[in-house]
Amino acid sequence: MSLARRPWILFGPAAVVAGAIAVALTFASDHDENPGLTTALLLFVSVSFIAAGLIGWARRPQNRTGMLMVAVGFGVLVTSLAEANDSIPYTLGALFGSLFIAVFLHLLLAYPSGRLTSRAGRTIVGAAYATSLLAPLLASMFPTREAPCKPHACPDDFVFVSHDHAAHVAQTAVWTSIAVIVFAAAFWLLVDRWRRATPALRRQLRPVYLAGGLSVLLLAVGFIVTPFSGAGDTFVEIALIVTFTAVPFLFLAGLLGTTLARSAGVGTIFTAVPERATPGEVQEGLRGALRDPTAVVAYWYEEEGHYVDVDGNRFEVPPDTRHRVVTRLEYADSPVAAIVHDAALREEPELLEAITSAARVALERDKLLVEVKARAERYRAVLQAMPDLMFRIGRDGTYRSYSAPSTRDLFSADVVGRNVRERLPGPLADRVLDAGHAAVDRGTPQMIEYELEFSGETRNYEARFAASGEDEFLMIVREITERKRQQVELEASRARIVAAGDEERRKLERNLHDGAQQRLVSLSLSLRLAQTRIRTDPDGAEDLLEASREELGQALEELRELARGIHPAVLTDRGLEAALEALAARSTLPVEIKGASCELPPQVEAAAYYVVSESLANVAKYAQASAVEVRVDRMNGIAVVEVADDGVGGADARRGSGLSGLADRVASLSGKLDVQSAPGSGTRVRAEIPLE
């Protein structure tokens, strides 16, 4: 097994050897007045840190906190070199004896992960390491004249330069100030981290920060009061030893608390959560077990390929951040669920793994229930978006549930629990039950159409039936009143178009028979008579031919008029503007034309021409108007044709075949015709025809 898993294999013996050397150096020292007390404190503090660090290192190899704690312990043992009677170890002890303080700051600012995650933390720790190395070096180079030990007991210092008082005071003032600033900054950063920490992170920080923060504060105070007060210095030293030594024990207490929390959390999963708990209750149980009230459970929805929350709604799993992370649970290499929780729980891997492993069983059990809820939510959303009424009806005709966009669409608002025969007219209830029974018995959908007197009007409905169980059926009802009305109007329009076509053919036949045909028959007789007289009476034949020529001209003019009634040649040859100007020229009223120069498709031009032609004819016959305005325009893909007069009004498209025929012509192009003709306010005929 690797060193990370069993660090005591190397560092345990190393600590024993280092401790023995420290004891030997201390008891053999010529300049330590109380070697027993020094040895006891040295071993107690160092062993506490090394033992706690090795336990934490073995429990959480990926976490560097245990490693840093071991480093603090060995750093404390390094201070024993200053007890040596030889120059080399004595100098090394003086130079590196303060290094453990920098490692201690590193430990606190990196806790609980053992890694420095902020720039401020890295800056402060870097400054602490530099200060712990440079300050002792300058202090050894320019020491005070007052020896720290008995006369001639201290060995030589290899880096000594001089006893220059000014240099000693300057370097002491500078490094004391720097040390106080570093400790104050570290204390401020600890307070700031605590203030911004989540509840789960505070639970981890509390034991170590309580003692470690006080130690940092006491270190700063000690550097300030040491030059001025011996009694104050003694008090600070005692308090510092107590708080400093408490850190490893509080660290172990935190590890023990995690172990107890793991056992309690697993117990919560199996005892506090009810046997038939809802997904919401399972989520609450997980929050209690993880001691994270913000934890969120998301279930994998296999059918749609995404996660859903405990209510069955789609859930987007967020990316990991410094504060929130996602733990995904799988079963047989298939996704089961995901838990979004406080990132601090990753520093308690035993707790997190134990709880999630225990919860996987409950989450796998609830996955099917949540998938059903997700489908239900999806189907409910579909149902709410549908405009139809839906009824679930038992075989005996009892309504079991229903869905309605609005209660105003219900024939009777009281539905569930009532019988079809109680809510609907008798014949209709029989038809509904027959169709429902047929859908259940045959397994094929059924459909009926019916009418209901509803809110003072007759409404048309279409009902479709499908089996939804062995003894119930689903009735889906859609109102088709508008469709029926449009169907009736379409049939009436078709009938009017056929009748109008027959009438136009009869009119054309009459006009040909009474007009051009009579003239042509008369012309034929005149030509025969002229033929018989051409030799005997040339002058009379010439008169007959002249009369025939005039008769032929009148016949041609009548044929042209008939052709214009079928389709005006000017519209084909010269366009809509010229055709409308021709209509205006033949009108008995002043006609103003606006916008007719716009280009329109041929079929739209023809419809526009007949709208204007019929409207002008109606104005001349009935309106008693003094002027007419015609406007043709294109707007948003629609051709707009308006004919407005200042006559007496009162026109009604339903009473005359002319306007109704126009409406049919416009409707054949998917357009609509609107007639506004209030009595005394003139008439405005407006046609809107799509260009495509």
Side-chain angles (χ1 to χ4, degrees), residues 132-184:
S132 68
L133 294 174
L134 294 177
L137 175 62
L138 290 176
S140 297
M141 292 171 64
F142 303 100
T144 179
R145 289 186 181 276
E146 299 177 359
C149 48
K150 294 181 291 184
H152 308 292
C154 290
D156 295 334
D157 187 347
F158 281 156
V159 297
F160 171 77
V161 175
S162 73
H163 286 296
D164 185 272
H165 180 70
H168 172 74
V169 171
Q171 64 87 17
T172 301
V174 169
W175 290 112
T176 298
S177 300
I178 292 175
V180 170
I181 292 173
V182 169
F183 292 138

Side-chain angles (χ1 to χ4, degrees), residues 561-606:
E561 287 293 328
L562 288 174
R564 265 198 301 270
I566 298 172
H567 188 84
V570 65
L571 181 63
T572 304
D573 298 338
R574 298 171 55 193
L576 180 62
E577 185 176 10
L580 295 184
E581 288 176 353
L583 287 176
R586 292 198 299 270
S587 176
T588 58
L589 297 171
V591 178
E592 182 181 4
I593 300 175
K594 296 181 180 179
S597 59
C598 60
E599 293 186 3
L600 300 174
Q603 66 271 24
V604 178
E605 282 190 338

Side-chain angles (χ1 to χ4, degrees), residues 166-311:
H168 172 74
V169 171
Q171 64 87 17
T172 301
V174 169
W175 290 112
T176 298
S177 300
I178 292 175
V180 170
I181 292 173
V182 169
F183 292 138
F187 185 77
W188 171 84
L189 187 58
L190 293 176
V191 172
D192 184 64
R193 284 190 63 193
W194 175 267
R195 181 178 55 82
R196 293 185 291 105
T198 60
L201 181 57
R202 284 187 179 182
R203 187 183 65 251
Q204 298 177 25
L205 297 179
R206 185 179 295 111
V208 173
Y209 269 32
L210 180 62
L214 285 175
S215 298
V216 173
L217 186 60
L218 288 170
L219 283 168
V221 172
F223 271 87
I224 296 173
V225 303
T226 298
F228 307 104
S229 173
D233 183 37
T234 302
F235 174 79
V236 170
E237 285 184 358
I238 294 174
L240 180 58
I241 291 173
V242 172
T243 56
F244 184 78
T245 310
V247 169
F249 293 97
L250 292 175
F251 172 73
L252 289 176
L255 289 179
L256 178 61
T258 298
T259 303
L260 295 176
R262 177 180 60 184
S263 302
V266 173
T268 299
I269 294 297
F270 289 107
T271 59
V273 177
E275 182 178 354
R276 296 185 178 181
T278 64
E281 291 172 330
V282 172
Q283 178 174 267
E284 289 301 320
L286 266 174
R287 288 175 175 176
L290 292 172
R291 298 184 292 179
D292 179 9
T294 66
V296 175
V297 176
Y299 295 82
W300 179 250
Y301 185 19
E302 187 70 34
E303 184 175 333
E304 294 291 334
H306 59 76
Y307 287 94
V308 296
D309 60 18
V310 294
D311 296 319

